[in-house]
């Protein structure tokens, strides 16, 4: 190292001497030759002296393109490919998304090391141009970096969720909306794809929680926003070239222009509902999640000299509401798509769920108080979440400092992805992981076992899903109410297919399927 430093030092002195000599011969000018020498020395010095990292191994990557072509040409989804690559490279693998290096974590021990043991090191979010546009400058919770503002918004959001999506209110809304969804299903004349109805169920439910909104499944505004959101989720899941190749931001693709136009309309819907709440806001009558967040903004305004308002502008309010509204819809409706598919595909599982639910509830709909006695039903929900890994690579992390993981060095600002699919299908952690078996979550007495370490559908650590404690009871109640009322089966001629139908950078959805439903005599309430 001392020899390299001496060589660089000598080269720098030689370049300076050349520049001085040229300046004496041509006062007031610096020749192109001198500039070239200086630039060359600078580049050499940088390459020789920049810090070297022992990055994790990974497959060969093409210049600029990286591993994108190899991933897109693979017959299997990329998260499964990464899981297989652990046999060659180990659980920590470097891949290139275009020119951008990315470290992927594919086993629970290295994931827990990163997210829990070294949570602060991996708490950032990488810069994505599309997300900057969507979040109006990262004024949200999901994609914002760990900061004072982020901690404030997350705390307020968690409090709002716990208050307005829990207890009797959660139970009342779920039962009412599921009843309407069941009536819609029973009105279908034959086999049908439940995707749009599943999404509308979640859309209506979150509209009620966030805005005290309409219970009408045919409300035109809700239908329009549902249709946009369905396309929006798919577009985001497949990614944008503008995130990888910056020049395209000045000449955006047709796909990105469509995304931007639709986003303006969707944000307009959110801000319109917030403005309606402002007109009738009363601190003594907090009606829903939006009112709760507006109350927090009012309280921030009263904290004179605290500087709190710089973290709680109207845009912050809008983005916090958007996170809860859109986030509450998206993963839940995808879990619902998988859940209906699995329940219809495995009649023996459905029969056992119905027997348990009927025994516990009698002639009424299931409620939250029944949860401790719906052990098999909850085990089925956990298996649905394991098999239907709706966000297989989670949301990207970014290192806040130089750090290490699994014995490798990871530089600051490196993108890090968690392969949740690999965790939830690890053959060392799960017996016959490709099989749908709810009983894997039960002990010999039929009681729920402690959550397996590798069951992390909501991630872990400080960036874990803020809605986990709401989503599990909500989804359990939705499935229990549907299975109580209906007998579900796949359309004639259809058969269960383990392989996903839609796999993208973010999404993992079942292939389009159709079901037939009939009303259960034991389910009439």
């Amino acid at each position: 190292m001392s020899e390299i430093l001496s060589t660089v030092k000598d080269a720098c002195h030689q370049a300076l001497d050349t520049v001085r000599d040229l300046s004496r011969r041509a006062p007031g000018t610096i020749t192109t030759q001198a500039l070239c020498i200086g630039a060359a020395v600078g580049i050499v010095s940088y390459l020789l002296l920049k810090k070297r990292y022992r990055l994790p191994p990974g497959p060969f990557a093409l210049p600029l393109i990286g591993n994108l072509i190899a991933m897109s040409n693979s017959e299997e989804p990329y998260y499964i490919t990464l899981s297989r690559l652990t046999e060659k490279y180990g659980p920590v693998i470097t891949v290139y998304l275009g020119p951008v290096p990315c470290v992927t974590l594919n086993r629970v021990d290295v994931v827990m090391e990163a997210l829990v043991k070294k949570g602060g090191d991996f708490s950032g979010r990488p810069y994505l141009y599309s997300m900057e546009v969507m979040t109006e400058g990262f004024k949200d919770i999901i994609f914002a970096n760990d900061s004072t503002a982020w901690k404030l918004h997350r705390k307020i959001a968690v409090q709002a969720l716990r208050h307005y999506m829990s207890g009797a209110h959660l139970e009342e809304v779920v039962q009412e909306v599921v009843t309407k969804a069941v009536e819609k299903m029973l009105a279908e004349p034959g086999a049908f794809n439940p995707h749009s109805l599943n999404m509308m169920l979640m859309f209506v439910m979150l509209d009620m929680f966030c805005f005290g909104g309409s219970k009408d499944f045919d409300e035109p505004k809700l239908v329009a926003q549902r249709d946009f959101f369905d396309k929006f989720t798919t577009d985001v899941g497949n990614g944008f070239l503008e995130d990888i190749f910056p020049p395209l931001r000045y000449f955006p693709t047709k796909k990105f222009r469509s995304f931007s136009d639709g986003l303006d309309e969707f944000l307009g819907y959110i801000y319109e509902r917030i403005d309606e709440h402002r007109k009738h806001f009363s601190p003594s009558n907090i009606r829903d999640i939006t009112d709760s967040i507006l109350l927090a903004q009012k309280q921030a305004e009263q904290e004179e000299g605290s500087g709190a308002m710089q973290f709680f502008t109207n845009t912050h309010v809008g983005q916090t509401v958007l996170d809860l509204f859109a986030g509450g819809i998206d993963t839940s409706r995808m879990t619902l798509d998988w859940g209906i598919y699995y329940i219809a595909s495995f009649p023996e599982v459905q029969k056992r769920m119905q027997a348990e639910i009927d025994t516990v509830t009698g002639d009424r709909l299931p409620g939250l108080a029944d949860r401790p006695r719906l052990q098999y039903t909850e085990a089925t929900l956990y298996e649905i979440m394991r098999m239907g890994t709706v966000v297989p690579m989670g949301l990207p992390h970014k290192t806040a400092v130089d750090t290490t993981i699994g014995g490798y060095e990871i530089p600051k600002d490196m993108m890090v992805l968690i392969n949740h699919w690999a965790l939830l299908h690890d053959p060392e952690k799960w017996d016959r992981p490709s099989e749908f078996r709810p009983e894997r979550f039960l002990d010999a007495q039929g009681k729920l076992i402690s959550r397996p370490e590798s069951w992390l559908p909501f991630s872990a650590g400080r960036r874990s899903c803020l809605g986990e404690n709401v989503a599990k009871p909500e989804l359990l109640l939705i499935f229990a109410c549907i299975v109580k009322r209906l007998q579900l089966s796949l359309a004639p001629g259809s058969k269960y297919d383990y392989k996903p139908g839609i796999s993208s950078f973010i999404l993992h959805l079942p292939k389009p399927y159709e079901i037939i439903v009939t009303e259960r005599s034991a389910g009439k309430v």
Side-chain angles (χ1 to χ4, degrees):
M1 184 65 183
S2 59
E3 292 179 0
I4 293 174
L5 288 173
S6 178
T7 301
V8 171
K9 183 178 179 181
D10 290 344
C12 289
H13 282 306
Q14 183 177 352
L16 288 172
D17 289 341
T18 301
V19 172
R20 291 192 190 100
D21 181 57
L22 290 167
S23 297
R24 283 194 298 268
R25 285 184 282 169
T29 65
I30 299 293
T31 67
T32 301
Q33 183 182 7
L35 288 174
C36 290
I37 293 173
V41 171
I43 291 171
V44 171
S45 300
Y46 170 76
L47 292 174
L48 290 173
L49 298 179
K50 75 171 185 175
K51 184 174 180 179
R52 304 286 178 174
Y53 295 90
R54 184 174 173 265
L55 291 175
F60 172 77
L62 293 169
L64 295 179
I65 299 173
N67 301 109
L68 288 177
I69 292 180
M71 288 181 177
S72 62
N73 288 342
S74 175
E75 294 182 358
E76 60 187 6
Y78 68 96
Y79 42 86
I80 297 179
T81 300
L82 284 170
S83 181
R84 297 187 192 284
L85 287 175
T86 59
E87 297 176 8
K88 181 176 182 180
Y89 298 110
V92 187
I93 301 172
T94 301
V95 295
Y96 282 78
L97 306 177
V100 180
C102 175
V103 170
T104 64
L105 308 182
N106 302 274
R107 200 173 64 199
V108 69
D109 57 334
V110 291
V111 169
M112 296 303 286
E113 179 186 352
L115 301 187
V116 178
K117 184 179 178 180
K118 300 177 179 177
D121 294 1
F122 293 84
S123 63
R125 292 289 194 215
Y127 175 81
L128 294 173
Y129 176 70
S130 60
M131 294 303 100
E132 181 182 26
V133 172
M134 187 175 78
T135 62
E136 301 176 278
F138 299 108
K139 294 180 176 65
D140 67 322
I141 301 171
I142 297 175
F143 292 99
N145 273 308
D146 189 344
S147 64
T148 301
W150 175 79
K151 291 174 182 175
L152 173 64
H153 299 151
R154 184 179 172 92
K155 177 181 178 181
I156 290 168
V158 169
Q159 290 173 343
L161 285 174
R162 286 176 178 169
H163 190 73
Y164 294 100
M165 290 185 69
S166 62
H169 185 52
L170 174 64
E171 182 176 304
E172 178 184 345
V173 171
V174 169
Q175 290 177 346
E176 183 173 4
V177 175
V178 171
T179 296
K180 289 181 178 293
V182 165
E183 292 170 356
K184 288 280 188 182
M185 291 181 181
L186 290 171
E188 293 286 344
F192 67 98
N193 186 330
H195 170 76
S196 293
L197 191 53
N198 289 341
M199 189 160 189
M200 200 62 190
L201 185 158
M202 296 309 307
F203 226 93
V204 169
M205 195 174 296
L206 265 295
D207 200 65
M208 292 176 68
F209 284 128
C210 289
F211 307 119
S214 172
K215 304 170 186 176
D216 183 3
F217 275 51
D218 300 314
E219 166 65 39
K221 281 189 176 181
L222 280 181
V223 172
Q225 297 306 322
R226 177 204 65 185
D227 292 343
F228 158 73
F229 195 76
D230 204 10
K231 180 179 182 301
F232 164 84
T233 303
T234 302
D235 285 347
V236 172
N238 287 318
F240 297 98
L241 290 174
E242 285 77 1
D243 288 326
I244 299 174
F245 302 107
L248 288 177
R249 299 166 194 176
Y250 300 100
F251 308 97
T253 59
K254 181 179 179 181
K255 176 183 173 182
F256 192 85
R257 293 196 303 271
S258 175
F259 157 76
S260 183
D261 291 343
L263 178 63
D264 288 343
E265 183 178 341
F266 191 64
L267 285 173
Y269 173 77
I270 297 293
Y271 281 109
E272 178 184 337
R273 305 303 298 274
I274 294 173
D275 289 342
E276 290 171 358
H277 275 62
R278 289 187 192 278
K279 293 176 184 177
H280 306 287
F281 177 77
S282 172
S284 60
N285 181 30
I286 304 302
R287 301 160 292 178
D288 47 39
I289 285 175
T290 298
D291 270 354
S292 177
I293 294 170
L294 289 176
L295 177 63
Q297 186 187 39
K298 291 289 184 183
Q299 292 170 342
E301 288 176 351
Q302 296 168 4
E303 296 178 6
E304 296 182 8
S306 68
M309 278 309 295
Q310 67 176 308
F311 303 132
F312 227 137
T313 65
N314 290 344
T315 305
H316 286 102
V317 170
Q319 284 292 325
T320 301
V321 173
L322 176 63
D323 276 343
L324 297 179
F325 182 68
I329 291 170
D330 209 30
T331 54
S332 295
R333 65 94 178 173
M334 290 189 284
T335 302
L336 196 53
D337 278 351
W338 275 113
I340 295 295
Y341 181 58
Y342 283 123
I343 292 169
S345 298
F346 294 89
E348 69 281 5
V349 171
Q350 183 176 179
K351 183 177 180 180
R352 187 170 170 181
M353 288 176 68
Q354 289 167 337
E356 179 180 75
I357 294 166
D358 290 345
T359 299
V360 171
T361 65
D363 59 358
R364 61 175 174 79
L365 285 174
L368 290 175
D370 300 318
R371 185 180 179 187
R373 294 187 292 166
L374 298 177
Q375 299 278 293
Y376 184 79
T377 303
E378 186 147 7
T380 303
L381 171 62
Y382 289 176
E383 182 71 341
I384 290 168
M385 289 181 170
R386 187 190 71 82
M387 291 283 287
T389 315
V390 295
V391 188
M393 294 298 288
L395 294 175
H397 293 251
K398 182 185 73 174
T399 50
V401 295
D402 282 3
T403 186
T404 60
I405 196 74
Y408 296 103
E409 297 175 330
I410 313 296
K412 179 183 178 182
D413 295 329
M414 174 71 79
M415 185 188 296
V416 179
L417 291 173
I418 312 299
N419 190 344
H420 291 275
W421 191 94
L423 270 57
L424 293 165
H425 293 78
D426 185 346
E428 294 185 3
K429 300 294 182 179
W430 305 97
D431 179 39
R432 292 174 283 167
S434 63
E435 295 183 13
F436 184 77
R437 296 192 302 116
E439 57 270 21
R440 70 173 75 247
F441 290 96
L442 301 171
D443 62 18
Q445 288 72 46
K447 303 296 182 182
L448 281 170
I449 61 174
S450 298
R451 187 180 73 178
E453 181 186 35
S454 203
W455 191 80
L456 290 175
F458 297 96
S459 196
R462 65 177 70 190
R463 298 307 300 237
S464 63
C465 175
L466 58 85
E468 176 177 359
N469 292 330
V470 170
K472 287 190 289 188
E474 175 196 39
L475 287 167
L476 176 69
L477 201 52
I478 291 172
F479 282 120
C481 288
I482 289 175
V483 172
K484 170 77 175 180
R485 292 288 310 277
L486 298 175
Q487 186 71 34
L488 308 169
S489 60
L490 293 179
S494 301
K495 62 179 182 179
Y496 168 68
D497 187 351
Y498 169 69
K499 295 179 180 179
I502 299 176
S503 296
S504 65
F505 189 73
I506 293 180
L507 304 181
H508 171 254
L509 298 175
K511 294 177 180 177
Y513 63 91
E514 291 188 335
I515 59 170
I516 292 177
V517 303
T518 55
E519 188 168 17
R520 298 180 64 235
S521 57
K524 293 181 179 180
V525 293

